[in-house]
Amino acid sequence: MTAMPNLLGDSQQLRRTMVDQLRELNAIRTDQVEQAFLAVLREHFAPGEPLEKVYGAETAVITKRDEHGNAVSSVSAPRIQAFMLEQAQPRPGSRCLEIGSGGYNAALLREMVGPSGLVVTLDIDEDITDRARRCLEAAGYTDVKVVCRDGEFGAPEFAPFDLIIVTAGAWDIPPAWIDQLTDGGRLIVPIRVRGLTRSVVFERHGDHLRSLSAEVCGFVKMQGAGAHEESLVLLRGKEAALRFDEQLPDGAEALAGVLGQPPVESWSEVTVGLAEPFDSLYLWLATVLPGFCLVSVDPSLDSGVVTPANKMACPAMVDGGSFAYLTLCMISDDPKMFVFGAKGHGLAADTLVKQIVHEVTVWNQRHRNGPAPVFTAYPASTPDDRLPDGLVVDKRHARITVSWP
């Protein structure tokens, strides 16, 4: 007779292993977050999934897809949830609102704020809130408030909140998120600025928000009133796409045949190691390049004509019917080192590639190992003279700035 597996024991061991991995990844840095991850049984929020998948430190569990097969809801990877909780720093007694509900993150918050705190989890999709409620009840967290509503409007009946965590990719910061936050309270939101998403920890100061830190991240997009779709310019059929987060620039239609023109290249003296991150370069280029966009290449149609540093999403810029983008080239005598450069097409390509290379050099000299930029968010009606110096991106409800020291 085959012995039945000890699922509880397996779960406990896998939970311990996951937490150890999250410590090694520096996603968990405090004992408070570690204890919450050890306490909450993640399998209650991913029923039917193998435990090895449930407790994978880098594994998200998709809980709903749209008619095209795209993920619209998930239990995020533990690494993402851990670093957001470290950013949030919930304390015993904190009043917390989570926008974008899967249940598991709300349970982690409930462990951290204790019996004197409050956790409200909210989602626009009734299927998702019903599922979250069932999972929370199965896991024993019956006092978490589950609300079905568009997250754009928050949960005023439970406000004010010391902490608001948004677990969906946001393009804007609506007034309710500021109004329902205590002064000095924290908003943690994956905010998209010029196509680049950062999980930003904002602190409220009166009518505006100022960042404390920001981390690279990726989330499913916000639905409802806060939804926003990027604009595309397709090149060579659908082989490559230029993605504009705010709006298409004037004359974008002139880019249609630009890849038929010969490429122009320019190379910097700035190098990067094989496994060395350079995400701050992307953000720097987004703040200083006019006509900024992201270029991506369809792997099924890739002919090698467009060779960006990252084929999923790479900084680029356009000027009329010309465009250029960041690229990399392996250094021949060291296969683990690369040099930054730029490639472009069109009549103005020579000017554009030199501009990108110049800004790569500036980043290397001033910002590569320096302090991170500061994000602020002001109401849309705020006049220019109240805004900090730096890039200003106007959204529907907020004026978001990115300022480099």
Side-chain angles (χ1 to χ4, degrees):
M1 185 177 185
T2 304
M4 294 294 291
N6 182 357
L7 295 182
L8 182 60
D10 291 345
S11 170
Q12 185 175 11
Q13 181 57 49
L14 288 168
R15 223 163 31 253
R16 178 72 262 177
T17 300
M18 177 187 71
V19 166
D20 291 343
Q21 291 172 343
L22 294 173
R23 280 282 194 181
E24 290 174 7
L25 292 167
N26 203 36
I28 289 181
R29 299 187 290 274
T30 62
D31 291 343
Q32 185 189 23
V33 174
E34 176 175 322
Q35 290 306 310
F37 272 84
L38 289 173
V40 179
L41 276 64
R42 186 172 161 90
E43 60 265 32
H44 284 301
F45 303 92
E49 298 287 350
L51 286 179
E52 290 77 10
K53 178 180 179 181
V54 169
Y55 286 107
E58 302 270 15
T59 305
V61 178
I62 306 302
T63 56
K64 187 173 182 178
R65 297 183 183 273
D66 63 17
E67 65 274 18
H68 305 295
N70 300 313
V72 295
S73 181
S74 68
V75 180
S76 298
R79 181 182 64 81
I80 300 295
Q81 292 172 309
F83 89 66
M84 288 189 78
L85 289 173
E86 291 287 3
Q87 287 182 310
Q89 297 182 6
R91 298 285 183 259
S94 292
R95 299 176 62 85
C96 305
L97 170 64
E98 178 193 36
I99 297 175
S101 185
Y104 179 64
N105 200 59
L108 294 170
L109 283 167
R110 194 70 191 86
E111 285 287 337
M112 296 177 74
V113 304
S116 60
L118 171 72
V119 176
V120 180
T121 184
L122 177 157
D123 201 282
I124 193 172
D125 189 326
E126 189 173 7
D127 289 343
I128 293 168
T129 53
D130 287 348
R131 182 186 184 282
R133 188 178 291 107
R134 291 193 303 271
C135 292
L136 284 161
E137 290 175 354
Y141 297 95
T142 55
D143 56 351
V144 171
K145 310 296 183 183
V146 183
V147 177
C148 183
R149 183 179 302 148
D150 191 331
E152 182 93 346
F153 308 105
E157 67 271 37
F158 296 107
F161 298 102
D162 304 300
L163 174 65
I164 298 175
I165 297 183
V166 182
T167 62
W171 182 79
D172 200 357
I173 296 178
W177 297 358
I178 300 178
D179 295 344
Q180 294 174 28
L181 194 63
T182 58
D183 202 39
R186 290 187 173 190
L187 167 69
I188 291 81
V189 55
I191 189 71
R192 200 165 84 239
V193 176
R194 287 196 139 185
L196 303 176
T197 302
R198 298 292 184 270
S199 177
V200 180
V201 183
F202 285 109
E203 188 173 75
R204 181 178 176 181
H205 297 272
D207 69 342
H208 69 278
L209 306 170
R210 180 181 173 86
S211 71
L212 300 174
S213 66
E215 301 273 357
V216 177
C217 66
F219 282 84
V220 296
K221 293 180 180 179
M222 187 76 69
Q223 301 179 55
H228 179 84
E229 294 299 326
E230 60 196 1
S231 300
L232 298 179
V233 173
L234 300 178
L235 306 177
R236 280 177 67 95
K238 296 182 179 180
E239 179 177 343
L242 301 179
R243 296 157 45 192
F244 297 87
D245 200 40
E246 272 69 45
Q247 61 185 20
L248 289 177
D250 293 338
E253 63 278 0
L255 291 162
V258 69
L259 290 182
Q261 300 182 45
V264 176
E265 299 180 3
S266 181
W267 297 94
S268 72
E269 296 181 356
V270 181
T271 60
V272 63
L274 182 62
E276 182 182 354
F278 51 90
D279 50 271
S280 65
L281 172 59
Y282 280 28
L283 193 55
W284 171 250
L285 295 177
T287 60
V288 297
L289 293 180
F292 180 85
C293 60
L294 295 172
V295 61
S296 58
V297 179
D298 186 329
S300 66
L301 301 173
D302 187 3
S303 67
V305 172
V306 183
T307 57
N310 179 340
K311 292 190 177 185
M312 292 182 63
C314 182
M317 65 183 298
V318 303
D319 181 7
S322 303
F323 95 105
Y325 56 89
L326 183 71
T327 190
L328 286 169
C329 181
M330 184 184 296
I331 297 175
S332 58
D333 58 353
D334 187 345
K336 293 185 178 181
M337 293 296 295
F338 298 81
V339 62
F340 287 111
K343 291 185 179 182
H345 298 260
L347 295 177
D350 185 63
T351 300
L352 299 186
V353 296
K354 289 177 180 176
Q355 188 169 356
I356 292 175
V357 166
H358 170 73
E359 295 300 348
V360 169
T361 304
V362 172
W363 165 78
N364 184 61
Q365 294 171 345
R366 299 182 187 175
H367 304 296
R368 185 170 191 167
N369 299 306
V374 174
F375 294 75
T376 61
Y378 285 79
S381 59
T382 305
D384 289 347
D385 59 8
R386 278 201 62 203
L387 300 178
D389 292 336
L391 171 73
V392 179
V393 180
D394 288 319
K395 311 285 190 173
R396 286 188 290 267
H397 301 297
R399 307 192 74 186
I400 296 177
T401 71
V402 185
S403 305
W404 292 80

